[in-house]
Amino acid sequence: SQTIHQWPATLVQPVGSPLSLECTVEGTSNPNLYWYRQAAGRGLQLLFYSVGIGQISSEVPQNLSASRPQDRQFILSSKKLLLSDSGFYLCAWSRPGAGLYNEQFFGPGTRLTVL
Amino acid sequence: ELKVEQNPLFLSMQEGKNYTIYCNYSTTSDRLYWYRQDPGKSLESLFVLLSNGAVKQEGRLMASLDTKARLSTLHITAAVHDLSATYFCAVASDSNYQLIWGAGTKLIIKP
């Protein structure tokens, strides 16, 4: 069976500090990977997706970046955090195939507070 | 512009009552997903609807898809407190091959 991990679970960071969130998937090969952000009480905002190693597509221009150094590893980074970066960050995966519209499976999330 | 609209966005109801959450979308699609999110938690997949007329049921929840009307419904029968959560629909767009998410419906069920 497939599992998805995210860490850390919770993070409190000062404004201007760097960020690195990690997501790994087990039990599948060549998954599509996604980073979402959810502000408090709001819906999902797709930040990045990846269909393969080194292939990253950005949906929203901002001070965040993503990388996929290995097939089942997806990293979200920032050089300098803003207050507006606070939120609940969710990583998800879906089976590879035509398009990105397969069912997505979510990790447990990272709650980021920027002070 | 591709849009997915859920309504209501907020619903407070009594235990034992029935209600329906609606998910309307503007793109052509033949697959739609429903997810549940408990407060402070991640999203959990509830239903996968893959064709026109698809109906799925689990416990007190039943989801259906009408691709001609571009509408999916999530029906709650005899609600219980444990069903309190936020429910999201996500539509698979035929035009850009991505999932388009609704804003979510926050459901509170009072004893």
Side-chain angles (χ1 to χ4, degrees), chain A residues 14-110:
Chain A
V15 170
S17 64
L19 173 73
S20 181
L21 303 181
E22 190 165 341
C23 170
T24 58
V25 181
E26 297 176 355
T28 186
S29 295
N30 196 31
N32 295 327
L33 296 173
Y34 311 82
W35 277 113
Y36 288 90
R37 177 169 60 200
Q38 187 177 34
R42 306 294 295 274
L44 297 175
Q45 180 186 33
L46 179 63
L47 301 175
F48 301 94
Y49 65 89
S50 171
V51 298
I53 296 174
Q55 301 179 60
I56 308 295
S57 296
S58 173
E59 289 293 300
V60 182
Q62 57 208 319
N63 69 321
L64 299 173
S65 62
S67 62
R68 185 170 177 174
Q70 300 181 40
D71 181 44
R72 291 167 288 177
Q73 183 185 29
F74 206 22
I75 297 172
L76 183 69
S77 304
S78 174
K79 292 182 179 178
K80 288 186 178 181
L81 283 169
L82 306 173
L83 285 174
S84 57
D85 291 324
S86 293
F88 192 41
Y89 287 81
L90 290 159
C91 181
W93 73 275
S94 67
R95 292 182 178 85
L100 301 171
Y101 55 44
N102 290 326
E103 183 182 13
Q104 294 181 15
F105 303 93
F106 287 81
T110 294

Side-chain angles (χ1 to χ4, degrees), chain B residues 20-78:
Chain B
T20 301
I21 299 170
Y22 298 89
C23 176
N24 294 271
Y25 54 95
S26 63
T27 185
T28 55
S29 176
D30 61 359
R31 61 175 72 188
L32 184 144
Y33 308 96
W34 283 97
Y35 289 82
R36 168 180 172 150
Q37 185 179 34
D38 292 316
K41 302 295 185 182
S42 186
L43 275 76
E44 171 190 358
S45 180
L46 283 177
F47 297 111
V48 178
L49 303 169
L50 296 178
S51 61
N52 185 41
V55 177
K56 295 280 186 73
Q57 181 165 6
E58 182 166 338
R60 300 174 188 273
L61 298 178
M62 183 173 71
S64 65
L65 178 61
D66 182 342
T67 59
K68 291 184 171 61
R70 300 184 181 178
L71 171 68
S72 179
T73 60
L74 180 65
H75 186 73
I76 303 145
T77 301

